[in-house]
Amino acid sequence: MQQPREPQEIPPGCPAHGNVQMYGPSFGADPDSHYAQLRAFGLSAPVDIAPDVQAELVTSYDAALYVLQNPASFVRDSRRWNALNEGRVPADSPALPMMGYRPNALFSDGAAHARLRGAVTDSLATVDEHRLIKQTQQSAHYLISQFSTDIRGQAELMAEYAQPLPLLVFSDLFGCPPEIGDRVIAGISGIFEGTPGADEVLGGALTELIALKRRRPTDDLTTRLMEHPAQLSDEEVLHQLVTLLSGGTAPLAAAIGTSSALYLGEDWQVGLPVEDAVSQTLWNYAPIANYAAHYPTHDVELGGRVVRANDPVLISFAAANTDPKLTKHREQLSTKAHLAFGAGPHACPAKDPAFMIAVTAVEALLNQLLDVELRVPFKTLTWVPSPWSRSLVTLPIRFTPKAVPRAAGSDGSDGSSAGRLPPQQSAAASPSHAGPSRTNAGVAPQPKGGLFSRFLAWTRGE
C-alpha cells in the first residue's frame, strides 16, 4: 500500500497534527477542498465526523474497496465502538443516529447479516420493474401538478419534488393505507429534520402497518418481508423497513435533485440522455458522501497509518469516487464502477431500482415542463453542510406555468394535463415542510390528510 507523504508535502493550512473537521458551513461550502486536504495524509485520514467524534476516513478508491470487501477484518457491528463504550461520545451527538447500533442488516455481520440481507434482497427482487416505473411516474405527475400552475412560473424543486417523490414511492411499495402512510412520511421526514418525537411517530406507524399485514397480507414489500423463509420477527421486519426508508428516500432525493440540476445546468451537453446525468451524480456527487462505519477486528495498517481495533473506519464514497488516481481510467471503467452504492457484502441491495427511480423522476420533470430551467447557475447552488450526504439545499427552477384548471365537473372534466384533480397547495417533503401557497381560485377544495392521503385521493380522482 501507498506510504503517507512526508510532512513537508502536506499543503499549508492542513491540520497535519490534528483531525480535519468534516461538518459545518465550511465543509458544506466546499467539501471537495476538504477531500483534497485529506488525501495529503495518504489512503485515509483522521477526522472529526461530528463534534468530539473521531474516526478514520478512507479517501482512496482502492483502499475503500479493500475495506468494503474484507469483512473478516472490518465488521459493521457498532457495539464494538471504543469511544462509545468508554463514554467519550456525547449523548446528543448527531453521529449517534448515523453510527449507533440497530438490529438490521446494515449493522450485522456473518450469519446474522446473511439472514437479514437475504430477506431484504429476495423481497426487493419481487418488485415488478414496470410497476415501479408506473409508481414513480404517477408520484411525479402528482407533485408536478401541485406547482406547475403557479402563476409565477417558479418552484423549489428539492422541497416540492425531489424530497417527497421517494416518500410517496416507498409508502406505496410498503402497502401503506392512507393514514399510516401519512405518519410514515411524517416520521421519517421528522427524523431527517431533527423533529423531537419523530422516532416514535415512525415506529408507531410501522408497528401498526406490520400488525395490519399480519391480519390481511397483500401484494407489497412489507408482506413479502414477513412471509420470507427467514421468518423475521415483527421487530426485525420493522427495523428492515426503517433501513429501507432511511437508506432509500434521502439518498434518492439527493440524486434526483442533483441529476436534475446537472441536466438543466449551463455546462450540460445537449443531447446526452438523463441516464448520463444520474451516472455523473453518482460518480461526482455521491448522495451518501461519508458513511459505512467499519470496526477493525484487530489493529490494521492503512497506507502507513495504524488504526486501532474497534475504532471506527468510515468510507468517503465522495472522495473515493473522485480519487485523482482514477482520472486516467474513468472512461474505461464501467458506468457502475462508482462506489455510491457501496461494494462488498453490504452493498446497496436496491441499486438498480434506485437508479431507475432517479432516471424516471428526472425524465418526468422534463416531459411535463418542456421549458424548465434553473433560475441560478449550477455552480452557485449550495449544499447541505452535512458529512453524511451530498444534497442540494434548494433547487430553484422556472417554467411556463400551465393554465389553472377549472373546478372538476364544471365542463365535464377536471382540465388537468394528467386527467386528475386541479392543483392544491404545494406538497412538500412532509406535512411540516409545506411549500408556498399557490394561486387556486375556482379550484375544488383540497382533500384533507397528509401527503400520502392527498396523493391517493388524487390517483382516485376524488
PDB file of all heavy atoms in Angstrom, residues 123-137:
ATOM      1  N   SER A 123     -36.983 -10.017  -1.143  1.00  0.00           N
ATOM      2  CA  SER A 123     -38.245  -9.268  -1.194  1.00  0.00           C
ATOM      3  C   SER A 123     -38.173  -8.180  -2.251  1.00  0.00           C
ATOM      4  O   SER A 123     -39.130  -7.965  -3.009  1.00  0.00           O
ATOM      5  CB  SER A 123     -38.558  -8.672   0.181  1.00  0.00           C
ATOM      6  OG  SER A 123     -38.706  -9.690   1.151  1.00  0.00           O
ATOM      7  N   LEU A 124     -37.047  -7.484  -2.319  1.00  0.00           N
ATOM      8  CA  LEU A 124     -36.884  -6.436  -3.329  1.00  0.00           C
ATOM      9  C   LEU A 124     -36.893  -7.023  -4.739  1.00  0.00           C
ATOM     10  O   LEU A 124     -37.363  -6.378  -5.685  1.00  0.00           O
ATOM     11  CB  LEU A 124     -35.579  -5.677  -3.094  1.00  0.00           C
ATOM     12  CG  LEU A 124     -35.560  -4.685  -1.931  1.00  0.00           C
ATOM     13  CD1 LEU A 124     -34.140  -4.206  -1.668  1.00  0.00           C
ATOM     14  CD2 LEU A 124     -36.469  -3.490  -2.221  1.00  0.00           C
ATOM     15  N   ALA A 125     -36.378  -8.233  -4.877  1.00  0.00           N
ATOM     16  CA  ALA A 125     -36.307  -8.858  -6.202  1.00  0.00           C
ATOM     17  C   ALA A 125     -37.685  -9.135  -6.785  1.00  0.00           C
ATOM     18  O   ALA A 125     -37.828  -9.302  -8.001  1.00  0.00           O
ATOM     19  CB  ALA A 125     -35.503 -10.151  -6.133  1.00  0.00           C
ATOM     20  N   THR A 126     -38.708  -9.166  -5.935  1.00  0.00           N
ATOM     21  CA  THR A 126     -40.060  -9.443  -6.428  1.00  0.00           C
ATOM     22  C   THR A 126     -40.776  -8.178  -6.899  1.00  0.00           C
ATOM     23  O   THR A 126     -41.890  -8.266  -7.429  1.00  0.00           O
ATOM     24  CB  THR A 126     -40.910 -10.104  -5.326  1.00  0.00           C
ATOM     25  OG1 THR A 126     -41.082  -9.183  -4.235  1.00  0.00           O
ATOM     26  CG2 THR A 126     -40.248 -11.377  -4.807  1.00  0.00           C
ATOM     27  N   VAL A 127     -40.156  -7.007  -6.695  1.00  0.00           N
ATOM     28  CA  VAL A 127     -40.785  -5.755  -7.137  1.00  0.00           C
ATOM     29  C   VAL A 127     -40.762  -5.703  -8.660  1.00  0.00           C
ATOM     30  O   VAL A 127     -39.703  -5.812  -9.287  1.00  0.00           O
ATOM     31  CB  VAL A 127     -40.049  -4.529  -6.551  1.00  0.00           C
ATOM     32  CG1 VAL A 127     -40.629  -3.238  -7.128  1.00  0.00           C
ATOM     33  CG2 VAL A 127     -40.157  -4.528  -5.033  1.00  0.00           C
ATOM     34  N   ASP A 128     -41.920  -5.552  -9.266  1.00  0.00           N
ATOM     35  CA  ASP A 128     -42.031  -5.517 -10.719  1.00  0.00           C
ATOM     36  C   ASP A 128     -41.488  -4.201 -11.262  1.00  0.00           C
ATOM     37  O   ASP A 128     -41.899  -3.117 -10.823  1.00  0.00           O
ATOM     38  CB  ASP A 128     -43.491  -5.691 -11.127  1.00  0.00           C
ATOM     39  CG  ASP A 128     -43.666  -5.686 -12.637  1.00  0.00           C
ATOM     40  OD1 ASP A 128     -43.332  -6.700 -13.274  1.00  0.00           O
ATOM     41  OD2 ASP A 128     -44.104  -4.640 -13.167  1.00  0.00           O
ATOM     42  N   GLU A 129     -40.574  -4.287 -12.218  1.00  0.00           N
ATOM     43  CA  GLU A 129     -39.922  -3.098 -12.772  1.00  0.00           C
ATOM     44  C   GLU A 129     -40.932  -2.142 -13.410  1.00  0.00           C
ATOM     45  O   GLU A 129     -40.865  -0.919 -13.194  1.00  0.00           O
ATOM     46  CB  GLU A 129     -38.886  -3.534 -13.808  1.00  0.00           C
ATOM     47  CG  GLU A 129     -38.205  -2.395 -14.528  1.00  0.00           C
ATOM     48  CD  GLU A 129     -37.207  -2.895 -15.560  1.00  0.00           C
ATOM     49  OE1 GLU A 129     -36.510  -3.903 -15.273  1.00  0.00           O
ATOM     50  OE2 GLU A 129     -37.118  -2.295 -16.640  1.00  0.00           O
ATOM     51  N   HIS A 130     -41.856  -2.664 -14.167  1.00  0.00           N
ATOM     52  CA  HIS A 130     -42.827  -1.804 -14.841  1.00  0.00           C
ATOM     53  C   HIS A 130     -43.760  -1.139 -13.832  1.00  0.00           C
ATOM     54  O   HIS A 130     -44.135   0.030 -14.003  1.00  0.00           O
ATOM     55  CB  HIS A 130     -43.629  -2.618 -15.858  1.00  0.00           C
ATOM     56  CG  HIS A 130     -42.789  -3.214 -16.945  1.00  0.00           C
ATOM     57  ND1 HIS A 130     -42.153  -2.441 -17.897  1.00  0.00           N
ATOM     58  CD2 HIS A 130     -42.448  -4.508 -17.212  1.00  0.00           C
ATOM     59  CE1 HIS A 130     -41.476  -3.218 -18.719  1.00  0.00           C
ATOM     60  NE2 HIS A 130     -41.634  -4.476 -18.323  1.00  0.00           N
ATOM     61  N   ARG A 131     -44.118  -1.875 -12.796  1.00  0.00           N
ATOM     62  CA  ARG A 131     -44.970  -1.287 -11.761  1.00  0.00           C
ATOM     63  C   ARG A 131     -44.229  -0.173 -11.025  1.00  0.00           C
ATOM     64  O   ARG A 131     -44.809   0.859 -10.702  1.00  0.00           O
ATOM     65  CB  ARG A 131     -45.417  -2.370 -10.779  1.00  0.00           C
ATOM     66  CG  ARG A 131     -46.308  -1.835  -9.668  1.00  0.00           C
ATOM     67  CD  ARG A 131     -46.715  -2.927  -8.701  1.00  0.00           C
ATOM     68  NE  ARG A 131     -47.440  -2.370  -7.571  1.00  0.00           N
ATOM     69  CZ  ARG A 131     -47.828  -3.090  -6.522  1.00  0.00           C
ATOM     70  NH1 ARG A 131     -47.563  -4.383  -6.462  1.00  0.00           N
ATOM     71  NH2 ARG A 131     -48.479  -2.511  -5.521  1.00  0.00           N
ATOM     72  N   LEU A 132     -42.941  -0.389 -10.772  1.00  0.00           N
ATOM     73  CA  LEU A 132     -42.150   0.622 -10.076  1.00  0.00           C
ATOM     74  C   LEU A 132     -42.035   1.898 -10.912  1.00  0.00           C
ATOM     75  O   LEU A 132     -42.152   3.013 -10.393  1.00  0.00           O
ATOM     76  CB  LEU A 132     -40.755   0.072  -9.770  1.00  0.00           C
ATOM     77  CG  LEU A 132     -39.814   0.993  -8.993  1.00  0.00           C
ATOM     78  CD1 LEU A 132     -40.418   1.358  -7.640  1.00  0.00           C
ATOM     79  CD2 LEU A 132     -38.451   0.339  -8.810  1.00  0.00           C
ATOM     80  N   ILE A 133     -41.817   1.734 -12.224  1.00  0.00           N
ATOM     81  CA  ILE A 133     -41.757   2.904 -13.107  1.00  0.00           C
ATOM     82  C   ILE A 133     -43.093   3.633 -13.093  1.00  0.00           C
ATOM     83  O   ILE A 133     -43.146   4.873 -13.010  1.00  0.00           O
ATOM     84  CB  ILE A 133     -41.376   2.482 -14.537  1.00  0.00           C
ATOM     85  CG1 ILE A 133     -39.914   2.006 -14.574  1.00  0.00           C
ATOM     86  CG2 ILE A 133     -41.578   3.634 -15.516  1.00  0.00           C
ATOM     87  CD1 ILE A 133     -39.489   1.445 -15.914  1.00  0.00           C
ATOM     88  N   LYS A 134     -44.190   2.888 -13.141  1.00  0.00           N
ATOM     89  CA  LYS A 134     -45.511   3.499 -13.119  1.00  0.00           C
ATOM     90  C   LYS A 134     -45.746   4.240 -11.807  1.00  0.00           C
ATOM     91  O   LYS A 134     -46.290   5.357 -11.802  1.00  0.00           O
ATOM     92  CB  LYS A 134     -46.585   2.428 -13.327  1.00  0.00           C
ATOM     93  CG  LYS A 134     -47.995   2.988 -13.375  1.00  0.00           C
ATOM     94  CD  LYS A 134     -49.029   1.888 -13.596  1.00  0.00           C
ATOM     95  CE  LYS A 134     -50.452   2.462 -13.589  1.00  0.00           C
ATOM     96  NZ  LYS A 134     -51.477   1.394 -13.776  1.00  0.00           N
ATOM     97  N   GLN A 135     -45.347   3.632 -10.696  1.00  0.00           N
ATOM     98  CA  GLN A 135     -45.496   4.286  -9.391  1.00  0.00           C
ATOM     99  C   GLN A 135     -44.718   5.592  -9.357  1.00  0.00           C
ATOM    100  O   GLN A 135     -45.204   6.611  -8.855  1.00  0.00           O
ATOM    101  CB  GLN A 135     -44.992   3.359  -8.280  1.00  0.00           C
ATOM    102  CG  GLN A 135     -45.891   2.179  -7.979  1.00  0.00           C
ATOM    103  CD  GLN A 135     -45.239   1.226  -6.982  1.00  0.00           C
ATOM    104  OE1 GLN A 135     -44.031   1.002  -7.017  1.00  0.00           O
ATOM    105  NE2 GLN A 135     -46.052   0.665  -6.096  1.00  0.00           N
ATOM    106  N   THR A 136     -43.505   5.556  -9.885  1.00  0.00           N
ATOM    107  CA  THR A 136     -42.667   6.753  -9.893  1.00  0.00           C
ATOM    108  C   THR A 136     -43.264   7.832 -10.774  1.00  0.00           C
ATOM    109  O   THR A 136     -43.317   9.013 -10.396  1.00  0.00           O
ATOM    110  CB  THR A 136     -41.238   6.405 -10.363  1.00  0.00           C
ATOM    111  OG1 THR A 136     -40.700   5.363  -9.542  1.00  0.00           O
ATOM    112  CG2 THR A 136     -40.337   7.623 -10.283  1.00  0.00           C
ATOM    113  N   GLN A 137     -43.716   7.448 -11.956  1.00  0.00           N
ATOM    114  CA  GLN A 137     -44.330   8.421 -12.868  1.00  0.00           C
ATOM    115  C   GLN A 137     -45.584   9.038 -12.260  1.00  0.00           C
ATOM    116  O   GLN A 137     -45.812  10.246 -12.350  1.00  0.00           O
ATOM    117  CB  GLN A 137     -44.659   7.750 -14.202  1.00  0.00           C
ATOM    118  CG  GLN A 137     -43.453   7.382 -15.032  1.00  0.00           C
ATOM    119  CD  GLN A 137     -43.802   6.563 -16.261  1.00  0.00           C
ATOM    120  OE1 GLN A 137     -44.822   5.861 -16.270  1.00  0.00           O
ATOM    121  NE2 GLN A 137     -42.972   6.640 -17.296  1.00  0.00           N
TER     122      GLN A 137
END
